[in-house]
Amino acid sequence: MSAKLEAIRLEFISKQEQLEEAGNILKKEFFGIDKAIDDLINNTRSWYVLNEYQNRPLVINLWGLTGVGKTSLVLRLAELLDYDDCLFRFDLGSKSGNYSFRSGIEDLCEKNEHEALIVVLDEFQHNRTLKGLAREEVESGENRRVWDLIDSGKIEYYQYYTDLYDLMGYVKKLTYLLNTSIVVENGRITKGLEAFKAEFEKERNWNDTTNDNLLIKKLMYPSILELAGDSFGFFLLKDIENHLLKLNGPETLMFLKKVIKIAKKPKIKNFTKSLIFVIGNLDEAYSMSQSLTADVNADVFYESSLKITIPQIKNALANRFRKEQISRLGNIHIIYPSLNKEAYRTIISRELQKIAEKTSVHLGLKIEFESSVIDLIYKEGVFPTQGVRPLLTTINYVIKTNLSLFFTEILIQDIRVSKLTFFVKDKELVCNYIFKRKVLHQQATAILTPLEDIRKPKKDDLQAITAVHESGHAIISAILLRTVPEHICSVTTNNDSNGFTYTKFPWNYLSKKEIVCRVSFYLGGQVAEELIFGKDNITAGSSSDVQLATKFLSNMYKTHGLGKLPLYYDLDPNNNSSFHDYEEVETMIEATLKEGHELARETLKKEMNLLLIMSDYLSDYSSLNKQSLKQMILEHKVSDVELLEHGDLLYYRNHLKKTIAKQEESSGLFEGVSLNYQKKMN
């Protein structure tokens, strides 16, 4: 093996090892996103290891909820690969400022375009080119060049030169002087030198006393070299001098005008060797992003986020970008999951460990945090759809702001101490001061627990109404749709609602036969209130349910064609490709609402015992999780219903296969057809 080939082999192996080590470090620093890290490392490999073979930018898209570590992961990877000095980050949500594309493009274009660079296009969702139902074009201005960068890696760049304006002013005056007063031969003024000096004696760039009769002073050579040196093949100041000393006045004027013209032209900057990270939050794909509740278990949102696919991401992008722009983003889409409960608790533990390590270094004290501290921070700091940021602020006000109080106590009480242990009890953060395994002193401070305070059962009329209402939804979900809700709350931390029932149906389609049951589900809360409290005592808390039921039916009948006839209705009277006679479909919507309302009434009357038991529990306690709810339903339901856990094989596939088998028996459906049917069935 030649020395050159051996050197290439060793560099290849070294880079592979460095990339793998970077992945291992990232997994120790970022929690709950191991798959995203693996995808990031694998997709980065070709750019990092074989960059010389790359002739277009490598585009990697990262999508997720806010605060899950998309940007920080990329920045840390660049640091681990020693590329942090070759990284350019742009915030596409900012039109000005240090990270805006307009401000930062100059720094990027000053880089050697033949180097491997990392470009981070953050908050990419704000770079939208379409908006509204009519998909109107958005004026994106400076950020339009972003698409050229993503597509070919080549962008037009208008470089700003201060000396260009000086040169333009000089040429204007020189034109007049050459026509009236001065003569130039071989770059030197042979006639009219005094007139020239009189015009330019106060201008620094033109007043070169060591070369009085030069038309173009040597002080301007660097500017000419910068403005157009490459275009003329000039690389040294001497090249400029040799050229100018061959020219007369008109020739010099023509040369300077060419320099100005070249300097005014946009330059094509080539970044085909770059790695481009497109980072954004796509609410259209992450349906749970609209929920700001802190009451739903983070695992529920995590499991939902795992089901998001690349086609869903592209459909979400279609709400903001044109099809040809989506194609430019390519097919490398790393889909971040929502963080689960384990990830949040690990992050809390890690942050507390950092505090302990810093205290050990600065004060020589060992610190330990008991599990009750982690429990409290989780309850107070985790909003599952908002990521890590709210959690970090909670750690700050629960722990960091109180540490000085506990450290000061050592000095005040003159305590010999080797270790501090912290735990939470009765809304207080308590510290044990330990020396030689003995607790010598204890200090406590009250801590704010705003979310826990809100979550406490109120045991008032409002909680009773909410308990009955949400129980109605939950029972309809279980009995008519065979799905136990994931979570049900009668007291919430959300100011916009008094309670909620979170149901995740285990199938990914909606059939005509379940339309009435879905309407019953929406109206179940109001019906439950009527059955328990009486018709005159139902409350106005069902407005969103009624709205959802009506919109749902309108969508099913007017858009999806699931009414009596498969018709598409459109509110736009100018749309000739749709149906506009709404009278019949509106009557159908009204009839189905009545049918769903009556079905909910019959179901809840039949399950009155279950309704009362569930409502009673939720009027005293704030919530019920899925496991407890399922147990309650199974113990007290009257209806003979089998609850579903999985919905992949409920009806359609089995029915199709049975129909095919039956048809084959009677008519030999597959005779003479080369399909290897048995193998396909397996």
Side-chain angles (χ1 to χ4, degrees):
M1 183 182 293
S2 67
K4 183 176 181 180
L5 194 60
E6 175 64 14
I8 293 173
R9 186 185 73 85
L10 292 175
E11 182 184 13
F12 183 88
I13 293 173
S14 174
K15 285 190 171 183
Q16 289 273 32
E17 291 175 349
Q18 188 175 4
L19 197 59
E20 294 301 326
E21 178 61 19
N24 294 332
I25 293 172
L26 291 175
K27 287 180 180 179
K28 293 177 182 177
E29 296 178 354
F30 296 85
F31 307 106
I33 55 171
D34 280 7
K35 184 180 184 303
I37 292 172
D38 287 337
D39 290 343
L40 180 67
I41 295 299
N42 290 333
N43 285 298
T44 303
R45 196 179 308 278
S46 64
W47 168 83
Y48 184 61
V49 177
L50 299 170
N51 188 261
E52 60 270 23
Y53 292 94
Q54 184 170 302
N55 55 19
R56 295 179 71 86
L58 174 62
V59 181
I60 299 178
N61 303 271
L62 293 87
W63 308 109
L65 295 168
T66 184
V68 293
K70 303 182 294 296
T71 305
S72 54
L73 180 68
V74 168
L75 297 181
R76 180 62 172 137
L77 175 64
E79 184 181 353
L80 292 171
L81 298 181
D82 299 322
Y83 268 84
D84 45 331
D85 290 336
C86 298
L87 181 143
F88 297 86
R89 178 190 168 204
F90 301 101
D91 182 352
L92 298 186
S94 175
K95 303 303 180 186
S96 60
N98 294 336
Y99 289 111
S100 69
F101 193 78
R102 177 176 297 178
S103 300
I105 191 67
E106 289 190 19
D107 292 336
L108 175 63
C109 289
E110 286 175 3
K111 269 293 187 181
N112 184 345
E113 56 193 61
H114 302 295
E115 290 182 14
L117 304 174
I118 297 177
V119 178
V120 179
L121 302 176
D122 209 351
E123 300 294 341
F124 194 80
Q125 72 276 9
H126 296 299
N127 195 47
R128 68 186 311 155
T129 53
L130 299 174
K131 68 176 181 179
L133 295 175
R135 295 170 62 78
E136 299 173 354
E137 290 278 343
V138 176
E139 276 296 329
S140 56
E142 188 72 22
N143 287 359
R144 282 188 178 276
R145 288 192 290 172
V146 170
W147 294 104
D148 294 328
L149 180 64
I150 291 171
D151 185 31
S152 63
K154 299 176 182 178
I155 58 174
E156 286 188 346
Y157 172 57
Y158 292 86
Q159 189 163 357
Y160 175 79
Y161 299 102
T162 303
D163 292 341
L164 176 61
Y165 297 96
D166 293 337
L167 184 59
M168 290 169 65
Y170 175 71
V171 166
K172 185 176 180 180
K173 292 180 180 179
L174 184 61
T175 302
Y176 178 78
L177 289 172
L178 285 169
N179 289 332
T180 59
S181 308
I182 66 173
V183 175
V184 177
E185 293 180 8
N186 295 324
R188 298 181 182 275
I189 301 170
T190 58
K191 181 182 177 182
L193 183 60
E194 292 303 319
F196 178 83
K197 284 184 175 181
E199 186 63 39
F200 293 110
E201 65 179 351
K202 294 182 180 179
E203 298 188 28
R204 178 183 57 82
N205 288 341
W206 312 107
N207 187 18
D208 188 347
T209 56
T210 62
N211 297 279
D212 282 345
N213 65 336
L214 282 176
L215 180 64
I216 306 299
K217 306 306 180 185
K218 292 183 179 181
L219 288 173
M220 280 303 294
Y221 290 179
S223 296
I224 294 172
L225 190 66
E226 180 187 14
L227 293 173
D230 290 344
S231 298
F232 287 100
F234 299 151
F235 302 101
L236 301 173
L237 297 179
K238 191 68 176 177
D239 296 335
I240 303 286
E241 182 179 36
N242 291 338
H243 182 72
L244 290 173
L245 291 178
K246 297 176 184 177
L247 306 180
N248 60 27
E251 289 170 341
T252 302
L253 191 62
M254 185 178 297
F255 170 73
L256 293 179
K257 287 181 177 180
K258 285 183 179 179
V259 170
I260 291 171
K261 187 176 181 181
I262 290 168
K264 282 185 171 182
K265 280 185 177 180
K267 291 179 171 54
I268 303 297
K269 302 294 291 186
N270 186 339
F271 300 108
T272 53
K273 300 295 184 185
S274 61
L275 169 61
I276 299 177
F277 288 106
V278 172
I279 302 176
N281 307 326
L282 281 181
D283 292 349
E284 294 90 341
Y286 290 79
S287 58
M288 72 287 293
S289 64
Q290 301 302 319
S291 174
L292 299 180
T293 182
D295 300 310
V296 175
N297 190 318
D299 291 342
V300 173
F301 290 137
Y302 169 75
E303 290 169 7
S304 295
S305 67
L306 292 178
K307 297 179 181 179
I308 299 172
T309 62
I310 290 179
Q312 285 177 274
I313 292 294
K314 292 201 172 190
N315 285 335
L317 289 170
N319 292 315
R320 298 172 181 265
F321 306 105
R322 298 193 299 271
K323 290 180 180 178
E324 67 272 15
Q325 292 171 330
I326 297 172
S327 69
R328 293 184 187 187
L329 296 176
N331 282 338
I332 304 177
H333 294 273
I334 298 176
I335 304 172
Y336 268 62
S338 169
L339 298 177
N340 60 14
K341 187 174 182 179
E342 180 183 357
Y344 278 116
R345 292 185 69 88
T346 304
I347 291 168
I348 295 169
S349 297
R350 179 56 182 154
E351 291 299 316
L352 294 178
Q353 181 61 30
K354 288 179 182 178
I355 294 172
E357 290 171 357
K358 185 171 289 188
T359 303
S360 177
V361 170
H362 288 177
L363 301 178
L365 282 175
K366 185 177 181 181
I367 288 184
E368 290 182 358
F369 296 95
E370 296 185 5
S371 60
S372 59
V373 177
I374 297 175
D375 293 340
L376 176 79
I377 293 172
Y378 181 90
K379 291 176 182 178
E380 289 295 319
V382 172
F383 288 75
T385 62
Q386 294 186 291
V388 176
R389 295 186 188 101
L391 186 63
L392 297 180
T393 60
T394 301
I395 292 173
N396 187 67
Y397 79 73
V398 171
I399 303 298
K400 291 183 179 180
T401 57
N402 288 315
L403 283 179
S404 60
L405 298 175
F406 295 110
F407 294 156
T408 304
E409 185 73 4
I410 297 174
L411 302 177
I412 293 174
Q413 301 295 334
D414 192 21
I415 308 168
R416 294 187 65 187
V417 61
S418 57
K419 183 171 75 172
L420 306 179
T421 62
F422 292 90
F423 62 94
V424 173
K425 183 178 181 181
D426 298 330
K427 296 183 67 173
E428 287 187 328
L429 180 63
V430 184
C431 175
N432 282 334
Y433 297 78
I434 298 173
F435 185 72
K436 293 184 178 180
R437 298 184 180 182
K438 292 183 179 181
V439 177
L440 303 181
H441 184 68
Q442 188 177 87
Q443 174 74 4
T445 185
I447 49 177
L448 298 175
T449 56
L451 294 187
E452 280 299 288
D453 293 344
I454 295 171
R455 288 188 182 107
K456 283 184 177 180
K458 307 300 186 290
K459 297 185 179 181
D460 56 8
D461 277 358
L462 183 57
Q463 185 174 354
I465 294 168
T466 308
V468 170
H469 186 101
E470 300 305 334
S471 295
H473 286 308
I475 292 170
I476 295 295
S477 175
I479 303 303
L480 297 184
L481 295 164
R482 301 167 60 191
T483 304
V484 178
E486 302 292 320
H487 205 84
I488 180 171
C489 281
S490 58
V491 177
T492 75
T493 57
N494 191 345
N495 291 330
D496 295 332
S497 66
N498 299 314
F500 66 86
T501 300
Y502 184 82
T503 300
K504 186 172 64 177
F505 296 109
W507 58 89
N508 298 318
Y509 52 84
L510 203 154
S511 62
K512 188 172 183 177
K513 68 180 180 181
E514 65 183 274
I515 288 177
V516 177
C517 294
R518 292 275 183 137
V519 174
S520 295
F521 174 63
Y522 288 127
L523 301 181
Q526 187 184 70
V527 172
E529 287 186 42
E530 182 181 336
L531 290 174
I532 298 296
F533 301 122
K535 191 171 185 178
D536 292 337
N537 292 315
I538 61 173
T539 64
S542 300
S543 58
S544 61
D545 296 334
V546 174
Q547 189 178 57
L548 286 170
T550 308
K551 284 185 176 180
F552 168 76
L553 285 175
S554 183
N555 195 32
M556 292 298 103
Y557 292 160
K558 292 180 179 179
T559 303
H560 294 291
L562 294 181
K564 291 180 180 178
L565 290 174
L567 293 173
Y568 172 69
Y569 296 81
D570 197 327
L571 293 176
D572 183 0
N574 298 316
N575 186 356
N576 295 324
S577 62
S578 62
F579 201 72
H580 300 291
D581 186 357
Y582 301 107
E583 184 176 353
E584 185 174 2
V585 72
E586 297 288 358
T587 301
M588 193 186 313
I589 290 172
E590 183 180 357
T592 307
L593 280 169
K594 289 179 180 178
E595 186 179 355
H597 188 276
E598 186 57 34
L599 179 59
R601 173 188 288 275
E602 292 174 1
T603 303
L604 292 176
K605 283 180 70 175
K606 184 177 180 180
E607 298 293 345
M608 180 58 74
N609 188 50
L610 175 58
L611 176 60
L612 289 170
I613 290 172
M614 191 180 298
S615 300
D616 182 52
Y617 181 90
L618 288 169
S619 68
D620 292 331
Y621 299 93
S622 301
S623 65
L624 265 171
N625 60 30
K626 184 175 183 178
Q627 184 178 354
S628 300
L629 191 57
K630 183 179 180 180
Q631 183 179 347
M632 183 181 291
I633 291 169
L634 289 174
E635 286 181 5
H636 301 288
K637 72 179 177 67
V638 175
S639 305
D640 185 16
V641 174
E642 182 180 352
L643 301 175
L644 295 174
E645 289 294 338
H646 305 286
D648 296 330
L649 296 170
L650 294 180
Y651 170 75
Y652 290 96
R653 179 176 175 82
N654 291 334
H655 182 76
L656 172 64
K657 296 304 180 183
K658 287 178 182 178
T659 303
I660 291 171
K662 185 177 180 180
Q663 185 71 14
E664 186 181 23
E665 285 180 12
S666 61
S667 61
L669 180 63
F670 293 100
E671 287 182 8
V673 181
S674 178
L675 282 179
N676 194 350
Y677 179 61
Q678 291 300 324
K679 183 177 180 180
K680 188 175 179 182
M681 286 284 287
N682 294 332

